[in-house]
């Protein structure tokens, strides 16, 4: 059971790492990679993706040092990146202001890379036979982690969609469905003793996961509505709604579904 759970967890980390890799490549290309450190999340997320793929394919027996190193690197690069993004906001005229929070480097984005690294490290622990994570039963720990990560992703989406004035009613989806999923996972994390699995919870998590992938389609439609549409993709993909961002919800909800399956 632990090996299956570890592979499923690495699958969630892989999807999150792929989203981060594509998103950071677009955003940092838009910033012209003016700081060499802007290459770090690309390298780290690519290594995390490779490590997850290797672990999912071959299991815990092979390349453990490579996987552990890649996941630990992701945690560190994400934490350092968050500090750089905070610095970017403060160095702008006006310092910490709503304008700079809206248009400066996104504060929550680097944290997603750290979450991917933590998921990978947890998968390694489970693959090695551990039944507890962070001093808690594995299921409760993963529920708490998914709740926290979903809440952070919701906050990031809320900022960006508020900047877009919620001009489409569909822009409310990532600030309505995922918060409920986060709350359900928080409830699962603190309940003692653990409660039976609820069909409504699983259904809500599945809808949230699907919404993450559907969000790519809505963002693609947003790109098509910009001047020149997809014919001007080289500019509109960079300046339009980020195509790789919504699957982060799917990755984190997959983590929730893993806990709901009874790790």
């Amino acid at each position: 059971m632990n090996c299956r759970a570890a592979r499923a967890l690495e699958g969630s980390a892989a999807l999150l790492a792929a989203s981060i890799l594509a998103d950071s490549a677009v955003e940092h290309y838009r910033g012209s990679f003016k700081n060499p450190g802007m290459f770090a999340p690309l390298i780290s997320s690519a290594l995390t993706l490779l490590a997850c793929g290797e672990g999912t394919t071959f299991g815990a027996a092979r390349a453990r040092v490579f996987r552990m190193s890649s996941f630990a690197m992701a945690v560190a690069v994400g934490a350092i990146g968050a500090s750089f993004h905070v610095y970017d906001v403060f160095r702008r005229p006006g310092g910490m202001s709503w304008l700079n929070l809206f248009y400066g480097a996104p504060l929550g984005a680097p944290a997603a890379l750290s979450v991917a690294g933590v998921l990978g490290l947890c998968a390694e622990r489970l693959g090695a036979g551990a039944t507890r994570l962070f001093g808690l039963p594995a299921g409760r720990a993963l529920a708490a982690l998914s709740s926290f990560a979903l809440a952070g992703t919701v906050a990031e989406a809320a900022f960006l969609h508020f900047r877009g004035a919620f001009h489409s009613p569909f822009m409310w989806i990532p600030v309505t469905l995922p918060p409920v999923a986060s709350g359900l996972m928080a409830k699962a994390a603190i309940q003692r003793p653990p409660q039976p699995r609820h069909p409504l919870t699983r259904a809500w998590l599945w809808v949230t996961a699907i919404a993450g992938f559907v969000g790519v389609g809505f963002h693609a439609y947003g790109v098509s509505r910009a001047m020149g549409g997809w014919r001007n993709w080289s500019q509109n993909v960079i300046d339009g709604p980020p195509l790789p961002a919504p699957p982060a919800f799917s990755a984190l909800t997959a983590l929730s579904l893993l806990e709901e399956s009874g790790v």
Side-chain angles (χ1 to χ4, degrees), residues 4 14 31 35-37 42 77 87 93 102 108 145 165 188 201 220 225-226 261:
R4 291 197 301 272
N35 186 325
L42 277 69
V77 170
Y87 170 75
F102 285 140
L145 178 59
T201 298
R225 293 179 68 248
S261 67

Side-chain angles (χ1 to χ4, degrees), residues 113-148:
L113 181 57
S114 292
V115 171
V118 170
L119 294 183
L121 293 173
C122 289
E124 290 299 306
R125 290 286 310 278
L126 291 178
T131 58
R132 298 178 69 85
L133 299 168
F134 309 111
L136 297 171
R140 289 181 59 199
L142 292 178
L145 178 59
S146 63
S147 174
F148 176 78

Side-chain angles (χ1 to χ4, degrees), residues 160-181:
L160 296 177
H161 285 194
F162 181 80
R163 187 178 72 182
F166 288 97
H167 64 268
S168 167
F170 294 107
M171 294 175 73
W172 289 98
I173 292 176
V175 296
T176 52
L177 285 178
V180 176

Side-chain angles (χ1 to χ4, degrees), residues 198-234:
H198 296 288
L200 178 60
T201 298
R202 288 189 63 81
W204 194 280
L205 293 176
W206 273 112
V207 170
T208 304
I210 293 169
F213 290 113
V214 173
V216 178
F218 281 115
H219 282 204
Y221 175 68
V223 171
S224 73
R225 293 179 68 248
M227 185 174 295
W230 282 99
R231 294 189 303 276
N232 189 27
W233 66 268
S234 60

